[in-house]
């Protein structure tokens, strides 16, 4: 009797396990089928294409230099000479997308429009879920406000949908720029220093710049075996990814290589395959699929860290964020003439430290860390 039961179990496993593998493979191939378009993405892509200008704006060419090796930290650039923070660089070689949502139009966007956005108004696009037609500050952005139709939540599907629209917006309006950069709506972008950082690398090379929030690579070996063949012969090694909350940048050449994997809703399908959020999936695409290792930059800061930046280095950082990390506030280590109630994000204080000549800044504002 015991032998009979074992035989039945063996037969069940022989026929069931292959069947499950076949079903899983079919599902993955279906998810990655380029002919299957997501309604929310495809509808807006068509609208963007109708708005696309006849000629693209070309950014200023920047000096080419060898890309950094895997795991290299570019903190050596901290000691290099500062550029003039008082005058924007025009035209800018970058294309910036800001991920936001209707829930944050009143709380997060105004301080961005008041501060760093003024350094790159022609190169910055806000990608949201639903546009609020009652807010003149947003409607005045015109095509620089992209209403994606994505979900309003912070779940994987909504985040990946918005990142897909960010990439699509770049390919439609900024693909001739040297760099594509993503930031969140709780980031301050020191635009001149961003340009300075990127000038250390060549846009015609494969460059992926970010900052890890985990401090270690992500192991995906258990799931990499089941991705569709369309992704090619991917590496099964653990991969690094730059957290979206600190900002990530991709060179023009790498963005062009990514295009077949992300356009027309395919980035959302890629997220469904990895079962990971948007920033992790970007790292997977760069490192595991295209085999371009991430260059980590310690000049990028997210809300997932307590920035401990010396006063003399504050002006040289590229991004900052804000939030709550356990019992501590994740804020720019800077006090100034604005009270915490007047400037809870510290973005206004930091902006005035960089640009004391701005008319709404307290006279001779210096700030005190």
């Amino acid at each position: 009797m015991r032998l009979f039961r074992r035989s039945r179990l063996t037969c069940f496993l022989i026929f069931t396990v292959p069947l499950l593998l076949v079903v899983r493979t079919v599902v993955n191939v279906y998810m990655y089928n380029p002919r299957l378009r997501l309604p929310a993405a495809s509808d807006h892509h068509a609208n963007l294409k109708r708005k696309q200008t006849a000629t693209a704006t070309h950014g200023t060419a920047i000096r080419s230099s060898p890309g950094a090796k895997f795991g290299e930290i570019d903190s050596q650039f901290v000691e290099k000479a500062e550029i003039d923070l008082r005058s924007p660089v025009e035209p800018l070689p970058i294309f910036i997308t800001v991920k936001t949502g209707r829930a944050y139009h009143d709380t997060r966007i105004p301080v961005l429009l008041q501060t760093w956005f003024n350094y790159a108004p022609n190169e910055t696009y806000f990608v949201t879920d639903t546009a609020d037609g009652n807010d003149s500050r947003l409607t005045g952005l015109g095509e620089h406000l992209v209403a994606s139709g994505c979900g309003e939540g912070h779940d994987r599907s909504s985040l990946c949908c918005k990142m897909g629209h960010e990439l699509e917006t770049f390919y439609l309006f900024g693909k001739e720029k040297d760099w594509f950069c993503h930031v969140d709506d709780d980031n301050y972008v020191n635009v001149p220093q961003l340009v300075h950082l990127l000038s250390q690398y060549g846009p015609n090379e494969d460059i992926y710049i970010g900052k890890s929030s985990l401090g270690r690579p992500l192991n995906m070996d258990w799931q990499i075996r089941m991705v569709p063949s369309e992704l090619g012969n991917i590496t099964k090694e653990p991969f690094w990814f730059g957290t979206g909350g600190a900002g990530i940048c991709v060179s023009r050449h790498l963005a062009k290589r990514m295009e077949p994997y992300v356009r027309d809703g395919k980035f959302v399908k890629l997220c469904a395959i990895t079962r990971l959020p948007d920033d992790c999936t970007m790292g997977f695409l760069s490192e595991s699929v295209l085999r371009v290792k991430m260059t980590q930059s310690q000049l990028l800061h997210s809300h997932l860290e307590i920035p401990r930046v010396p006063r003399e280095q504050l002006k040289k950082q590229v991004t900052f964020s804000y939030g709550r990390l356990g019992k501590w506030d994740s804020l720019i280590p800077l006090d100034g003439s604005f009270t915490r109630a007047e400037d809870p994000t510290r973005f206004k204080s930091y902006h005035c430290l960089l640009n004391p000549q701005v008319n709404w800044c307290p006279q001779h504002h210096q700030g005190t860390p």
Side-chain angles (χ1 to χ4, degrees), residues 44-56:
H44 184 66
H45 295 164
N47 292 335
L48 283 177
K49 288 176 181 177
R50 283 194 292 268
K51 292 180 180 179
Q52 188 175 13
T53 54
T55 56

Side-chain angles (χ1 to χ4, degrees), residues 55-72:
T55 56
T57 302
H58 290 260
T60 303
I62 61 179
R63 181 174 59 84
S64 175
S65 61
K69 296 180 181 179
F70 173 63
E72 179 179 347

Side-chain angles (χ1 to χ4, degrees), residues 208 214 218 239-244 274 276-285:
Y208 165 46
L214 297 180
L218 192 61
F239 64 89
W240 291 86
F241 72 92
T243 180
T274 64
L276 293 172
D278 54 327
D279 50 1
C280 301
T281 301
M282 284 287 287
F284 169 78
L285 176 58

Side-chain angles (χ1 to χ4, degrees), residues 18 42 53 84 90 103 118 145 150 156 229 245 275 279 326 330 365:
S42 60
T53 54
D84 183 10
E90 292 290 352
N118 294 286
L145 177 66
C150 299
R156 184 192 71 206
S229 59
R275 298 182 181 179
D279 50 1
S330 175
H365 177 96

Side-chain angles (χ1 to χ4, degrees), residues 48 95 97 125 127 146 165-174:
L48 283 177
F95 189 93
T97 59
Y125 286 72
V127 177
V146 179
H165 282 279
E166 291 182 63
L167 291 163
E168 189 72 26
T169 302
F170 166 73
Y171 290 123
L172 291 177
F173 297 121

Side-chain angles (χ1 to χ4, degrees), residues 185-334:
D185 57 7
D186 57 356
N187 284 130
Y188 184 101
V189 181
N190 189 346
V191 175
Q193 289 301 119
L194 173 61
V195 174
H196 181 54
L197 168 65
L198 297 179
S199 70
Q200 312 303 313
Y201 306 94
N204 293 321
E205 301 169 7
D206 287 334
I207 306 294
Y208 165 46
I209 299 176
K211 184 178 183 180
S212 171
S213 60
L214 297 180
R216 57 176 173 80
L218 192 61
N219 192 340
M220 276 279 292
D221 180 65
W222 62 273
Q223 196 158 354
I224 285 178
R225 303 185 201 125
M226 296 189 175
V227 298
S229 59
E230 286 87 344
L231 292 181
N233 184 23
I234 62 175
T235 175
K236 295 182 180 180
E237 297 178 358
F239 64 89
W240 291 86
F241 72 92
T243 180
I248 59 176
C249 289
V250 173
S251 65
R252 179 178 62 235
H253 190 268
L254 180 57
K256 186 175 181 180
R257 291 184 61 198
M258 288 181 169
E259 189 171 2
Y261 300 94
V262 302
R263 291 208 71 173
D264 299 323
K266 283 187 280 187
F267 184 78
V268 174
K269 297 168 190 174
L270 188 59
C271 286
I273 291 170
T274 64
R275 298 182 181 179
L276 293 172
D278 54 327
D279 50 1
C280 301
T281 301
M282 284 287 287
F284 169 78
L285 176 58
S286 179
E287 291 215 346
S288 297
V289 179
L290 301 177
R291 306 196 180 197
V292 177
K293 299 299 185 181
M294 181 179 75
T295 298
Q296 293 206 55
S297 173
Q298 297 304 308
L299 304 178
L300 308 174
H301 304 280
S302 77
H303 65 285
L304 299 175
E305 64 177 280
I306 304 297
R308 305 188 186 281
V309 182
R311 173 181 172 81
E312 63 272 14
Q313 301 293 344
L314 281 175
K315 293 183 179 182
K316 301 175 184 178
Q317 306 308 300
V318 173
T319 62
F320 277 112
S321 185
Y322 61 89
R324 187 76 178 171
L325 192 62
K327 299 183 296 183
W328 299 275
D329 290 324
S330 175
L331 293 170
I332 303 173
L334 173 70

